Amino acid sequence: MSTCPEHIVQYMHEYLDGDISREHEQELRAHMQNCKDCQKHMQELTSTIAFVKSAAVIEVPPNFVEQVMQRLPKRKMRSGVQRWLRRHPFLVAAAMFCIFMSASLFSGYKNDQEFSVTKQPNLQVEGQTVIVPEGKTVKGDIVVKNGDIVVKGAVDGNITVINGKYMASTANVTGQIEEVDEVFEWLWYKIKSNAKSAWSFIDKNE
Amino acid sequence: MDALVNKRIKQVLKGDQHAYSDIVSLYQQKVYQVCFRMLNNQHEAEDIAQEAFIRAYTNLHTFDLERKFSTWLFRIATNLCIDRIRKKKPDYYLDAEVTGTDGLDLYSQISSNDRLPEEEVERMELQERIQYEISCLPDKYRMVIILKYIEELPLQEISDVLDMPLGTVKTRIHRGREALRKQLSNL
Ligand SMILES: [Zn+2]
């Protein structure tokens, strides 16, 4: 077999993958006609494939679906807030009114509109978009504020995007990914901390 | 099937968590099988397969509905399997360096050291023997052989799942077949 051209074995694999060219196939056949060693090699490869393919289907452990469903994270805080808002429309409207009338609070929010991102090696920043480049891995959490993040490589940690979008075609992120709409969260926070004044406002008007 | 899956995904994204159970039912067998063949341990396979579905759920909003869901799901599952193997083998990164040169030397080192005594191997039942021979393959060859011959994925899909050029997938399948052939040469 030491006298056989090395590419003959390569052609065997091309043949087995079903993407051999006509020329390669002709050469392979011509060689094999006169070479017992290569006939044997090809025969062994074919039996190897048949052997692996005869693997029986593996049974899934019982209750697999139920166990996954139980382990799913509970619905997010945000949807809880949304339910709360639906149940208390008047209170929310009143609280919002209070907040928007309060100029000092509003300016406090506006100062917080600047783009920022957690400093991590391997991160690229283009304008207001943070990029995890292809083939690179960022180890650690990333927080992006007022900008977007595009993950082409991998992230070993959590990603939080405040006032922006997370973009990736596949999940190469080991941790949680969360998008926070800050205007909303901020209002929610203010509604909670101003609950007292909101209530007194409602009392006066009823 | 893709239309049904996309419909369920949209329901889940709208907040109907229960719709996800149909997705799990549809793919549990494929995902569990890859994990079991890869990890060669029932408990680990169950844990990792569940984890894959949970990851897919929490990242579902990043899934592109234009793409094939099973490819995306397999990608999560195979990454988790590789992570798990990596954690068990602290020298995995060293192996990964060697893989750059892509020689069969690595294979021969592993298999000659780790194989069971030949009489024991010969006593195995067929299915046990298949699982054993697959488990003797180096990780990077094992993964492509499982996807190709057990899950029966087309080469292009394997390349998408593993995020690897088609040429690399082919090379690994060739080497995987050769490695298995050598393991079985006394069969
Ligand atoms: Zn020959």
Side-chain angles (χ1 to χ4, degrees):
Chain A
M1 185 153 163
S2 54
T3 56
C4 299
E6 236 174 75
H7 62 261
I8 290 295
V9 174
Q10 174 64 29
Y11 291 177
M12 290 183 197
H13 285 285
E14 288 175 2
Y15 177 81
L16 292 169
D17 284 339
D19 62 3
I20 191 166
S21 66
R22 186 185 283 261
E23 297 79 50
H24 287 186
E25 187 172 349
Q26 275 169 353
E27 194 183 333
L28 178 65
R29 284 185 193 282
H31 177 90
M32 291 227 303
Q33 224 148 38
N34 303 309
C35 181
K36 285 267 179 299
D37 285 336
C38 284
Q39 283 170 19
K40 179 165 174 278
H41 193 125
M42 187 63 159
Q43 181 54 49
E44 282 174 0
L45 284 172
T46 323
S47 339
T48 300
I49 294 169
F51 173 80
V52 180
K53 281 185 131 178
S54 59
V57 167
I58 301 285
E59 296 260 339
V60 183
N63 304 322
F64 184 88
V65 179
E66 289 77 9
Q67 276 167 12
V68 170
M69 293 309 286
Q70 270 167 21
R71 280 180 66 187
L72 289 186
K74 296 289 160 261
R75 302 273 303 279
K76 272 193 189 157
M77 168 71 180
R78 222 201 296 189
S79 51
V81 172
Q82 277 161 355
R83 265 201 305 276
W84 186 88
L85 293 181
R86 252 179 267 126
R87 250 181 278 137
H88 305 275
F90 176 69
L91 179 62
V92 172
M96 297 268 232
F97 181 68
C98 286
I99 291 157
F100 281 111
M101 291 318 283
S102 161
S104 62
L105 287 181
F106 212 55
S107 60
Y109 172 71
K110 277 199 167 162
N111 286 341
D112 212 23
Q113 293 291 288
E114 266 176 42
F115 168 77
S116 72
V117 59
T118 324
K119 272 224 170 80
Q120 293 279 16
N122 291 342
L123 277 184
Q124 264 175 26
V125 177
E126 281 178 25
Q128 303 219 324
T129 304
V130 180
I131 298 161
V132 179
E134 211 158 343
K136 300 272 197 226
T137 302
V138 173
K139 293 193 186 301
D141 298 343
I142 305 173
V143 178
V144 183
K145 232 173 164 179
N146 303 313
D148 300 332
I149 182 163
V150 181
V151 180
K152 291 176 182 161
V155 177
D156 199 359
N158 299 324
I159 296 181
T160 310
V161 188
I162 302 168
N163 287 346
K165 277 206 297 288
Y166 164 82
M167 287 169 280
S169 51
T170 48
N172 284 329
V173 179
T174 61
Q176 297 278 339
I177 296 160
E178 188 154 29
E179 287 175 8
V180 178
D181 178 354
E182 202 183 45
V183 180
F184 185 81
E185 302 278 324
W186 183 86
L187 278 176
W188 170 236
Y189 170 74
K190 288 300 174 190
I191 288 167
K192 280 198 292 191
S193 60
N194 286 327
K196 254 191 203 151
S197 53
W199 277 116
S200 58
F201 174 82
I202 293 162
D203 285 345
K204 252 183 265 166
N205 284 275
E206 263 175 358
Chain B
M1 186 164 101
D2 286 346
L4 172 76
V5 171
N6 278 0
K7 193 177 159 196
R8 291 288 176 269
I9 292 171
K10 284 176 191 158
Q11 286 172 323
V12 175
L13 289 173
K14 277 184 191 148
D16 177 7
Q17 192 175 66
H18 186 72
Y20 196 64
S21 65
D22 284 350
I23 297 178
V24 183
S25 301
L26 268 173
Y27 294 107
Q28 54 176 345
Q29 208 282 323
K30 285 169 182 285
V31 170
Y32 178 74
Q33 174 146 278
V34 169
C35 296
F36 179 75
R37 296 289 185 191
M38 204 56 208
L39 298 166
N40 195 26
N41 175 299
Q42 216 175 308
H43 292 291
E44 280 190 327
E46 191 172 3
D47 185 42
I48 293 295
Q50 286 184 8
E51 182 66 29
F53 281 107
I54 292 161
R55 284 286 169 90
Y57 176 83
T58 50
N59 293 300
L60 202 58
H61 61 288
T62 69
F63 170 67
D64 178 357
L65 286 164
E66 300 291 308
R67 294 188 175 221
K68 204 169 165 184
F69 182 73
S70 60
T71 304
W72 188 73
L73 184 61
F74 270 139
R75 184 142 169 200
I76 296 174
T78 52
N79 277 337
L80 286 171
C81 286
I82 291 164
D83 280 349
R84 174 58 63 98
I85 292 165
R86 216 176 261 174
K87 274 180 193 145
K88 286 196 290 192
K89 275 196 290 186
D91 57 343
Y92 190 88
Y93 285 100
L94 203 75
D95 288 2
E97 284 301 311
V98 180
T99 62
T101 59
D102 236 327
L104 278 171
D105 326 25
L106 182 66
Y107 148 71
S108 44
Q109 278 167 21
I110 290 174
S111 69
S112 58
N113 293 341
D114 292 358
R115 273 185 83 85
L116 293 168
E118 215 45 51
E119 10 0 317
E120 203 171 319
V121 176
E122 271 158 28
R123 270 201 303 274
M124 290 177 180
E125 301 273 347
L126 175 67
Q127 290 305 325
E128 189 189 356
R129 177 78 189 263
I130 294 172
Q131 177 65 8
Y132 171 72
E133 298 295 353
I134 292 172
S135 77
C136 286
L137 283 172
D139 305 330
K140 57 176 184 161
Y141 302 154
R142 185 159 78 248
M143 187 63 94
V144 290
I145 291 290
I146 291 169
L147 294 177
K148 167 87 180 151
Y149 290 114
I150 295 188
E151 295 294 342
E152 300 188 305
L153 295 187
L155 294 174
Q156 183 55 53
E157 225 170 302
I158 299 175
S159 142
D160 293 340
V161 167
L162 300 176
D163 194 21
M164 202 180 269
L166 193 58
T168 313
V169 171
K170 284 184 188 168
T171 307
R172 288 191 179 188
I173 288 179
H174 299 181
R175 300 238 160 100
R177 278 195 295 241
E178 287 297 338
L180 266 176
R181 182 184 72 89
K182 284 184 189 160
Q183 285 171 214
L184 296 171
S185 56
N186 57 345
L187 197 72

